[in-house]
Amino acid sequence: QVQLQESGPGLVKPSQTLSLTCTVSGGSITTNYYSWSWIRQPPGKGREWIGNILYSGNTYYSPSLKSRTSISRDTSKNHFTLQVSSVTPEDTAVYYCGRAETILTGPDYWGQGTQVTVSS
C-alpha cells in the first residue's frame, strides 16, 4: 500500500553534494510513529544505514556520516530528502529510502533504489 520512490541525479562529481528525494504515497510521513530512513549499498558491500527522520521531524544519523549528512522533509509534498556533502567515490552506491513502524524496527517498505555514482 505504501509506496516510496527515490529520485535525483545518478551522477555526482567529487566534492559536490549528493541530493535525493523520496516521494511517499499511500501514507503520510507525519503519521505516528513512523520512521523514514535512508540506506545505501555500495558495490560488493552490505547495506549501510545513513539516517532517519521521524514522524515528528526529529533526525538521527549514522555516526560515520553525520558530519556530511542532512535529512529534511516537505510535509506539504509528503516527501523527504537526503543530502550528503563533500562526496567521494566511496559514496557510490545504490541508495534506498524506507519506512519503519518505529525507529526501533527495520524498514517494512522500501523504494526500488537508485544508483548514484560519484565520478569525475
Side-chain angles (χ1 to χ4, degrees), residues 3-120:
Q3 294 182 317
L4 301 89
Q5 179 73 255
E6 304 90 347
S7 62
L11 181 64
V12 184
K13 293 183 177 180
S15 82
Q16 294 186 337
T17 296
L18 181 160
S19 298
L20 297 174
T21 296
C22 183
T23 300
V24 178
S25 62
S28 173
I29 62 174
T30 63
T31 296
N32 301 359
Y33 298 93
Y34 294 151
S35 176
W36 304 89
S37 305
W38 285 102
I39 305 97
R40 69 182 185 181
Q41 185 170 26
K45 299 182 180 180
R47 290 175 176 174
E48 177 186 20
W49 174 65
I50 300 170
N52 292 41
I53 186 163
L54 272 56
Y55 65 98
S56 62
N58 292 133
T59 54
Y60 300 87
Y61 302 105
S62 168
S64 64
L65 295 169
K66 64 190 304 181
S67 66
R68 300 192 291 128
T69 302
S70 178
I71 298 174
S72 58
R73 66 180 184 174
D74 185 335
T75 58
S76 68
K77 297 180 180 179
N78 206 42
H79 70 220
F80 61 104
T81 63
L82 170 70
Q83 293 191 102
V84 181
S85 65
S86 303
V87 298
T88 73
E90 283 65 50
D91 293 307
T92 294
V94 177
Y95 284 75
Y96 299 89
C97 57
R99 190 211 76 176
E101 292 286 339
T102 75
I103 195 172
L104 299 178
T105 61
D108 49 7
Y109 289 92
W110 296 76
Q112 64 185 341
T114 187
Q115 173 71 44
V116 179
T117 299
V118 179
S119 176
S120 60

